[in-house]
């Protein structure tokens, strides 16, 4: 089921006809009017909604022409995970190539002999032992179609192709089964990054490369797809990056070390996580400009797409 925020509550897409239906106008006054609460109500609420939508389309009533808001919900928190070692290796190699080119021959020689990445380009031992993440700025997330501001303090703005999992039920010290049951929907997520600032924070800051590098802004799709339509396929979804109509990258979700189900179980260890909190996947391999050595400019239109989930599009604004 595909949902968006509507004029009176929730709009639901009728998959067969492609029509959006205003759920409240279709007779769903007793159902929750917020997406997080609706998804938290579970399969029964979805079944009722499907029946109402089918009837509304048959009767030609309650159709909705436009979305009320570009954000389907306001995240209560943002936990950003690192899901793919390949992305980490490729991005780190390009970061070193740009900032410490003298190290590149040494790294290549090591990789040729050892048949594994140069140790400084690896994510660290903790990434092998358990999921790793940082806490982002949930208040700076913008929606599909909104401009992405270029921070005044960076000259290298980058995009990152990700998806996000929406928590709709409270968990604490969750098993993987409990964590999976607590995820109600998925969105496409763009974790914009200031790459020159990242290099400085990585070397000189005590908290690593995720402070001003990441907190200025990110974006997510206007539509939420229910977890039952995504979870069975989560390890084999296609992803695409398009800039100004040109395909920059085609990738997939294959090869991840940890899933967001694993991530939620880990994050909830002796910690309460509740409805409305958002977990993001980390960048898909070859899903950012750093890996591709391709860089966006003011005025560029960046579109990120993940199969079965949807897309998010933002225009890069002029530097602040």
């Amino acid at each position: 089921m595909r949902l968006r925020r509507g004029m009176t509550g929730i709009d639901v897409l009728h998959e067969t006809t492609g029509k959006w239906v205003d759920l409240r106008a279709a007779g769903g006054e007793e159902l929750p009017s917020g997406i997080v609460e609706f998804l938290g109500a579970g399969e029964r609420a979805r079944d009722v909604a499907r029946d109402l939508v089918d009837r509304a389309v048959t009767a030609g009533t309650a159709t909705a022409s436009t979305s009320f808001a570009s954000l389907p919900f306001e995240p209560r928190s943002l936990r950003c995970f690192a899901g793919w070692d390949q992305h980490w290796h490729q991005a780190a190699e390009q970061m070193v190539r740009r900032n410490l080119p003298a190290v590149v021959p040494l790294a290549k020689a090591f990789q040729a002999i050892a048949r594994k990445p140069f140790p400084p380009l690896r994510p660290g031992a903790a990434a092998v032992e358990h999921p790793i993440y940082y806490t982002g700025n949930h208040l700076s997330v913008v929606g599909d179609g909104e401009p992405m501001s270029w921070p005044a303090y960076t000259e290298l703005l980058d995009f990152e192709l990700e998806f996000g999992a929406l928590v709709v039920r409270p968990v604490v010290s969750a098993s993987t089964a409990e964590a999976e049951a607590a995820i109600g929907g998925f969105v496409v997520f763009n974790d914009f990054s200031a790459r020159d600032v990242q290099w400085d924070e990585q070397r000189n800051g005590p908290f690593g490369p995720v402070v001003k590098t990441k907190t200025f802004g990110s974006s997510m799709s206007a539509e939420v797809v229910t977890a039952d339509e995504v979870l069975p396929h989560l390890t084999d979804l296609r992803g695409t990056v398009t800039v100004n109509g040109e395909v920059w990258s085609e990738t997939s979700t294959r090869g991840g070390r940890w899933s967001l189900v694993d991530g939620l179980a880990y994050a909830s260890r002796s910690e309460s996580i509740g409805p409305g909190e958002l977990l993001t996947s980390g960048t898909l391999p070859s899903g950012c400009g750093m890996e591709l050595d391709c860089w966006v400019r003011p005025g560029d239109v960046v579109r990120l797409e993940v199969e079965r989930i949807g897309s998010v599009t933002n225009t890069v604004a002029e530097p602040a």
Side-chain angles (χ1 to χ4, degrees):
M1 179 177 287
R2 188 173 294 271
L3 314 171
R4 70 183 187 187
R5 187 184 295 189
M7 293 294 293
T8 65
I10 299 172
D11 290 345
V12 179
L13 180 66
H14 187 257
E15 299 284 353
T16 304
T17 62
K19 293 181 178 180
W20 287 94
V21 174
D22 181 329
L23 191 56
R24 183 170 292 270
E29 297 89 348
E30 302 303 317
L31 293 172
S33 60
I35 284 178
V36 175
E37 295 78 13
F38 173 80
L39 293 175
E43 188 174 352
R44 179 185 173 279
R46 296 199 303 272
D47 288 343
V48 172
R50 287 191 187 96
D51 183 59
L52 291 172
V53 168
D54 285 342
R55 281 194 262 168
V57 169
T58 299
T61 59
T63 55
S65 56
T66 58
S67 176
F68 174 69
S70 57
L71 275 180
F73 60 92
E74 284 79 30
R76 287 183 52 203
S77 76
L78 181 62
R79 289 176 172 84
C80 303
F81 286 79
W84 288 268
D85 291 357
Q86 183 183 346
H87 158 69
W88 190 292
H89 299 156
Q90 291 176 169
E93 183 176 341
Q94 287 295 339
M95 183 75 79
V96 169
R97 187 183 301 276
R98 171 174 286 273
N99 294 283
L100 285 177
V103 176
V104 174
L106 176 61
K108 283 187 173 181
F110 178 91
Q111 290 170 189
I113 296 170
R115 303 293 183 182
K116 57 185 178 181
F118 190 47
L121 306 184
R122 300 177 194 171
V128 177
E129 297 169 359
H130 56 74
I132 55 174
Y133 70 95
Y134 69 90
T135 302
N137 184 359
H138 64 289
L139 299 176
S140 64
V141 180
V142 302
D144 182 50
E146 294 188 46
M148 173 49 60
S149 299
W150 187 302
Y153 54 78
T154 184
E155 296 181 1
L156 285 176
L157 185 65
D158 200 3
F159 56 85
E160 294 190 67
L161 170 60
E162 306 190 16
F163 57 86
L166 172 61
V167 179
V168 298
R169 297 188 184 95
V171 291
V172 59
S173 297
S175 66
T176 53
E178 291 167 337
E180 181 171 318
I183 294 174
F186 286 87
V187 295
V188 181
F189 195 81
N190 190 340
D191 184 19
F192 283 92
S193 302
R195 295 303 190 190
D196 45 358
V197 178
Q198 182 175 10
W199 176 250
D200 179 69
E201 289 183 341
Q202 177 75 62
R203 293 178 303 122
N204 300 319
F207 298 112
V210 292
V211 188
K212 296 301 286 184
T213 297
K214 299 282 189 177
T215 54
F216 63 87
S218 49
S219 65
M220 70 172 170
S221 53
E223 300 170 9
V224 179
V225 178
T226 52
D228 60 298
E229 296 195 8
V230 178
L231 280 170
H233 312 279
L234 203 50
T235 59
D236 193 18
L237 298 176
R238 294 189 304 271
T240 307
V241 175
T242 306
V243 179
N244 299 328
E246 177 186 353
V247 175
W248 278 20
S249 180
E250 293 180 313
T251 181
S252 82
T253 59
R254 292 189 293 271
R257 181 178 291 276
W258 301 103
S259 72
L260 282 182
V261 173
D262 299 321
L264 177 54
Y266 174 75
S268 72
R269 289 183 182 178
S270 300
E271 180 177 346
S272 296
I273 297 178
E277 301 196 49
L278 184 67
L279 285 65
T280 64
S281 64
T283 309
L284 274 62
S286 301
C288 72
M290 173 65 77
E291 292 172 89
L292 305 170
D293 196 23
C294 296
W295 300 94
V296 295
R297 303 293 182 191
D300 284 350
V301 179
V302 181
R303 184 178 188 271
L304 308 183
E305 182 176 4
V306 179
E307 182 185 12
R308 290 184 176 270
I309 302 177
S311 66
V312 59
T313 302
N314 303 96
T315 300
V316 179
E318 293 291 333

